[in-house]
Amino acid sequence: MQAFTTLNGLTIPLDRANVDTDAIIPKQFLKSIKRTGYGPFLFDEWRYEDVGQPEMDCSHRPVRKNFILNQPRYQGAEILLARENFGCGSSREHAPWAILDYGISCVIAPSFADIFYNNCFKNGILPIVLSDADMDVLFEEVEAQEGASIAIDLSTQTVTSPSKQVFHFEVDDFRKHCLLNGLDDISLTLQQADAIQAYEEKRQQEAPWLF
Amino acid sequence: MAKTLFEKVWQQHLVKANDDGSVLLYIDRQLVHEVTSPQAFEGLRLTGRKPWRVSATVATPDHNVPTTGLEHGITDPVARTQVEALGNNCKEFGIQEFSMGDIRQGIVHVVGPEQGLVLPGMTVVCGDSHTSTHGALGAIASGIGTSEVEHVLATQTLIQKKPKTMRISVDGDLPEGITGKDVALYIIGQIGTAGGTGYAIEFAGTGVQSLSMEGRMTLCNMTIEAGARFGMVAVDAVTLDYVKNRPFSPQGEMWNQAVEAWSDLHSDDDAIFDKDIHLNAADIAPQVSWGTSPEMVVPITGSTPSLDDAKDGVQREGWSRALAYMDLSENTPMQDISIDKVFIGSCTNARIEDFRAAAAIAKGHQIAAHVKLAMVVPGSGLVKAQAEAEGLDKVFMDAGFEWREPGCSMCLAMNADRLNAGERCASTSNRNFEGRQGAGGRTHLVSPAMAAAAAIKGHFVDIRGWS
Ligand code: SF4
C-alpha cells in the first residue's frame, strides 16, 4: 500500500450529503476483477450524459458540464470535500479504488459511513472528519478562489485551509501508523499467528460445533 | 458485570487486545460471492498466502447470475468472467462453492442461514454490506471491504475497534399486516440513514420478539441502511427452531451442547447501552419510501414532504434533488403514485414467508394493465423449490407475474434485470439510491405484500384494507 504523509493539493468541493457508493462507482463497473482502472468512471452517472460501460473509452463521452468534476478549474484535484455520511450504502471497495485511481487521496467530510471509512485506510486514502463549522470554512474558501489548495499533514493531524486557518483532526493511532508507513495489515496480523492458533485450540474445546 | 449481547459474543472472539483499543477478532464464518472477492484471491496469489482455515469459508455466485434462460449460461462476457473467476478461485484454494445449477445456490444472505452456515454466537463476515442480516440469529455479522476479505482469508481474523452499542426496542404488538420490512423502514425514518453510524444495534421489545426468524432477518438486513454495520436479535425459541436440523447445524449431542451455550445469548437485564431508543409498535403503518435514500420514507397514508418542513438547508437541498430525481412534487399522496414495474426479491425479502405474503395478496387478481413487468425472484434454489411445492409460482404466474431463477437480480441490476430511465418501481429490496435498479430508474421500497398490491392496482395502496 502507498504511504500517506503530507499532501498539498487542489480541492473539489462536492456540496452533497449522503453520497453513496453506488453514486461513487455504479454497479456495472463492479464486474471487473481488477483493482485499478475505475478512475474514469468515478461518479459516472453524475459526470456523463450517457451510461458508462466497463472498459469503454471515456475521452469522447458527452459530459454534464455543470457537475463539479467536469469544471476546468477543478481538473487535477487531489482532495475532495463533501457533506455528512459520505460513502454510505454498499461495502464495495471499488469506491475507494475509483477515488484513488482518479487521483484523490484525501476526503474531508463531517462524517463517513463506517465501512467506507475503513476501506479508505486499506488503500492509502486518508478520510478526515471535521466539524460542520470547519467544513463550512473549507467549502467557502475553496469555492471563493480558483486554484485554492488545502494542505494536509497526517503526522501533526492538521488541515490548513487556503487562508491558512489550521484545523486539527482525530485519527486512530494504529491506522495512522499503517498509513504513514504504507503497511499492509495482513503481514502485521500474521506476526500473531501463534495467538490465533492458541485461540482456535481453546475455542475448539469450548465450542466444537464451530469447527 | 452485566453485558449486552454484542459484548458477550465480541468477548468470546477476542484473540488479542492491542494497546490502542483495537482488537484482533476471530471470524468463525466468511461468506463469499463473485463481486467483492476476485481482488482478494488475487492478493493471496500475489503474496503466496494460503487461506488460514478453508472450512470456515463458503461461496456462492449471486449478484451477476441471470434469472432467465439459464440453459444459455451467462451471456454477458464480463459477468461470466467474474462468476467463472469465483469458481476457479474456489477450486484453487479448496473452498466449498454452491455454484450455478446447484439447488443450494442463491443470494449469500439467504443461503447462509438456510444452510445452517450461520449459527447463534458466531462472528460472520462477507464482502457485502447486508451481512448484517445474519445478526438475526444472535451472531455478530458485518459487511467488510475486499482488503478485509483477503485479511480474513489469510488470517481468519479482523482488526476491529469495538463499536458503541444501541438498543432499539419496539414495544407492544405490531398491528395486523405489519412486517419486518415496515419495522425496518420505520426505524430508518425515525433515526435517519446515519443514525446508527458507529453503533452495533440490538433490536428488542415485544414487536421484534414476535417476528419470525425471516422477519428478523429482514429487519437486521436493513441495519446498514440506518448506518450501523451490525444488527442483532437475542437468541430465543424462535432462533433455535429455525437453526435445528439445517445441513451445517450441529446434530445430536453436539446440538445439546450448543443449545446450552446459546442460552446466554441475550443482553443481561441490567446491561447498559450507549444509546437506548424506544418506539411504539402501534405507531407503525405499512411504509413506502418516496425519495432516493431509505430515510425518505412515509406511511402509505402519507405524502411526499413539503420542502418548508426540512430541518435545515442541507436537508432541503437533499429533498429537492430527490423529488426532482423521482419526478414527484411536494405533498403528493403516496397512494396517487402510479408504477411501471414491480420487483419482489433481494436478500431483504426473497424468503418463503415473503412469497407467501405476496401470493396471498395476488391470488385471484391480475396485475394492472399498465404495469410492464412484475417479477418474483427467489433468494435461493431451495426457496424456489419450496414455493413451487406450495403452488405459489402458479399463483404469481396466473396473476401475471414472472417467476424467475434465484439471484440478486433487479435489487442492483448487475444482470439483465433493470429499470429503464424514468421507470418507477415498487421494490422489496433495500436501497432506493439514484440509479440503483438501473440508470435513471426510480425505486420505492415496500414490503412484499405492499409490492404485490401495487402490482395489482397499478399504484401504491394500503394493504390493511385488502380484500
Ligand atoms: S440482494 Fe441486493 S442487497 Fe442483497 S446482496 Fe444482492 S445486491 Fe446486495
Side-chain angles (χ1 to χ4, degrees):
Chain A
M1 189 182 77
Q2 211 177 315
F4 185 109
T5 49
T6 59
L7 177 66
N8 190 338
L10 187 64
T11 304
I12 306 180
L14 178 66
D15 201 352
R16 291 190 193 191
N18 297 313
V19 172
D20 58 76
T21 51
D22 277 74
I24 297 172
I25 185 83
K27 68 233 146 204
Q28 62 270 34
F29 304 105
L30 274 53
K31 291 179 185 171
S32 165
I33 55 174
K34 296 186 291 207
R35 270 177 198 261
T36 52
Y38 301 96
F41 309 105
L42 175 68
F43 296 121
D44 198 79
E45 278 179 33
W46 293 344
R47 201 159 146 202
Y48 303 100
E49 308 255 6
D50 61 346
V51 178
Q53 290 306 327
E55 323 249 313
M56 84 197 278
D57 174 8
C58 293
S59 53
H60 301 295
R61 291 177 63 192
V63 299
R64 296 184 197 273
K65 293 211 174 58
N66 288 337
F67 183 56
I68 197 142
L69 255 70
N70 291 327
Q71 295 175 13
R73 61 181 279 197
Y74 295 120
Q75 299 312 304
E78 294 171 274
I79 299 171
L80 180 71
L81 303 183
R83 299 293 186 178
E84 65 180 32
N85 203 24
F86 188 84
C88 61
S90 151
S91 60
R92 60 188 69 165
E93 201 160 316
H94 311 67
W97 294 338
I99 289 174
L100 194 67
D101 198 56
Y102 179 85
I104 291 171
S105 53
C106 175
V107 185
I108 314 180
S111 60
F112 290 89
D114 288 337
I115 300 177
F116 176 84
Y117 184 77
N118 201 26
N119 281 342
C120 282
F121 286 100
K122 312 276 177 198
N123 291 285
I125 300 174
L126 174 63
I128 295 179
V129 176
L130 290 180
S131 70
D132 283 319
D134 295 351
M135 289 308 302
D136 285 344
V137 173
L138 293 181
F139 268 101
E140 206 172 295
E141 291 189 11
V142 166
E143 281 163 4
Q145 187 203 334
E146 187 161 341
S149 68
I150 287 180
I152 317 284
D153 188 333
L154 176 56
S155 59
T156 58
Q157 299 178 214
T158 52
V159 174
T160 308
S161 80
S163 78
K164 306 284 177 264
Q165 285 198 61
V166 178
F167 304 112
H168 181 82
F169 64 88
E170 294 299 327
V171 56
D172 132 344
D173 289 343
F174 177 71
R175 283 171 162 153
K176 176 175 170 180
H177 174 74
C178 289
L179 208 49
L180 281 173
N181 298 292
L183 294 177
D184 148 21
D185 30 274
I186 296 182
S187 33
L188 288 175
T189 299
L190 284 174
Q191 293 172 6
Q192 310 290 333
D194 291 347
I196 302 172
Q197 244 145 22
Y199 171 88
E200 278 181 331
E201 278 160 28
K202 180 172 135 279
R203 189 71 179 147
Q204 195 157 10
Q205 300 292 318
E206 295 164 4
W209 58 89
L210 293 173
F211 289 85
Chain B
M1 209 184 83
K3 288 201 200 93
T4 66
L5 168 60
F6 184 86
E7 286 158 351
K8 289 180 186 180
V9 180
W10 181 268
Q11 219 140 58
Q12 283 171 347
H13 290 84
L14 289 188
V15 174
K16 193 167 172 274
N18 301 319
D19 301 339
D20 66 348
S22 69
V23 302
L24 196 60
L25 195 71
Y26 191 79
I27 303 301
D28 295 315
R29 176 72 67 212
Q30 172 152 238
L31 302 169
V32 168
H33 64 81
E34 78 278 22
V35 176
T36 54
S37 65
Q39 296 86 352
F41 285 113
E42 185 64 17
L44 291 186
R45 261 192 298 273
L46 289 173
T47 47
R49 291 177 180 134
K50 292 257 164 302
W52 182 275
R53 178 159 82 86
V54 279
S55 63
T57 305
V58 178
T60 188
D62 52 7
H63 286 61
N64 272 305
V65 300
T67 60
T68 49
L70 291 193
E71 61 283 7
H72 309 302
I74 306 180
T75 48
D76 171 354
V78 197
R80 191 174 58 231
T81 306
Q82 203 170 51
V83 171
E84 284 171 0
L86 178 67
N88 294 337
N89 285 327
C90 287
K91 269 195 213 88
E92 179 182 340
F93 291 103
I95 289 166
Q96 177 160 23
E97 184 198 12
F98 304 140
S99 50
M100 280 174 69
D102 186 322
I103 195 167
R104 297 168 296 180
Q105 177 267 331
I107 308 172
V108 273
H109 309 311
V110 174
V111 170
E114 186 175 78
Q115 288 296 319
L117 287 164
V118 175
L119 298 171
M122 268 187 170
T123 43
V124 182
V125 296
C126 173
D128 190 283
S129 58
H130 292 101
T131 310
S132 58
T133 310
H134 309 280
L137 291 114
I140 285 186
S142 150
I144 55 176
T146 299
S147 297
E148 288 179 319
V149 170
E150 185 182 337
H151 193 279
V152 176
L153 281 169
T155 71
Q156 213 51 51
T157 62
L158 269 183
I159 302 164
Q160 293 279 291
K161 267 252 154 102
K162 190 158 145 232
K164 290 178 282 183
T165 55
M166 180 190 296
R167 176 168 54 192
I168 299 183
S169 304
V170 179
D171 303 321
D173 296 331
L174 293 173
E176 186 74 26
I178 300 306
T179 65
K181 183 60 163 289
D182 301 300
V183 177
L185 287 169
Y186 179 78
I187 289 173
I188 297 162
Q190 296 293 309
I191 71 172
T193 46
T197 305
Y199 288 93
I201 299 181
E202 180 176 340
F203 297 103
T206 40
V208 171
Q209 284 156 355
S210 67
L211 292 172
S212 67
M213 186 46 65
E214 296 192 358
R216 295 175 189 184
M217 287 188 220
T218 303
L219 174 59
C220 289
N221 173 277
M222 291 200 67
T223 321
I224 187 69
E225 261 45 78
R229 290 173 60 193
F230 311 89
M232 285 181 110
V233 177
V235 173
D236 63 7
V238 174
T239 326
L240 299 184
D241 272 356
Y242 180 89
V243 174
K244 197 164 188 183
N245 291 326
R246 305 247 157 210
F248 288 82
S249 299
Q251 311 288 335
E253 188 36 46
M254 194 102 92
W255 169 259
N256 297 334
Q257 218 183 322
V259 168
E260 164 85 38
W262 296 339
S263 66
D264 190 41
L265 293 179
H266 53 80
S267 290
D268 294 330
D269 287 344
D270 39 359
I272 298 181
F273 291 81
D274 295 304
K275 200 164 188 177
D276 222 336
I277 294 177
H278 284 270
L279 300 170
N280 257 328
D283 294 342
I284 308 179
Q287 305 283 306
V288 190
S289 73
W290 61 264
T292 53
S293 158
E295 69 184 17
M296 297 173 178
V297 67
V298 288
I300 177 65
T301 48
S303 306
T304 59
S306 158
L307 292 183
D308 290 339
D309 291 339
K311 66 173 195 278
D312 55 30
V314 175
Q315 187 173 60
R316 190 185 168 98
E317 174 56 29
W319 282 5
S320 154
R321 275 179 52 84
L323 285 171
Y325 181 86
M326 295 297 286
D327 192 28
L328 293 170
S329 18
E330 299 174 71
N331 305 312
T332 307
M334 296 314 291
Q335 312 210 28
D336 289 357
I337 300 174
S338 158
I339 54 154
D340 306 304
K341 286 186 174 170
V342 176
F343 172 62
I344 301 180
S346 88
C347 57
T348 316
N349 284 127
R351 297 180 181 83
I352 191 68
E353 290 171 14
D354 299 316
F355 292 169
R356 286 181 191 140
I361 297 281
K363 198 176 174 87
H365 295 278
Q366 276 299 312
I367 63 171
H370 72 268
V371 170
K372 293 185 227 169
L373 171 70
M375 61 194 297
V376 187
V377 185
S380 70
L382 284 163
V383 170
K384 180 167 185 259
Q386 175 67 29
E388 288 173 354
E390 295 178 22
L392 304 182
D393 57 327
K394 274 208 66 51
V395 172
F396 286 122
M397 288 190 283
D398 288 348
F401 288 83
E402 291 192 14
W403 178 247
R404 297 289 188 91
E405 302 294 335
C408 293
S409 179
M410 208 161 69
C411 171
L412 95 165
M414 266 187 88
N415 67 0
D417 311 333
R418 64 186 62 173
L419 298 180
N420 296 318
E423 283 178 342
R424 190 181 296 287
C425 181
S427 178
T428 65
S429 55
N430 42 46
R431 288 192 174 133
N432 51 354
F433 300 159
E434 287 183 23
R436 170 78 179 182
Q437 295 192 288
R442 303 179 175 126
T443 303
H444 294 270
L445 305 174
V446 287
S447 73
M450 287 285 287
I456 285 154
K457 295 292 179 193
H459 59 87
F460 294 107
V461 284
D462 193 339
I463 46 141
R464 291 174 298 184
W466 192 261
S467 60

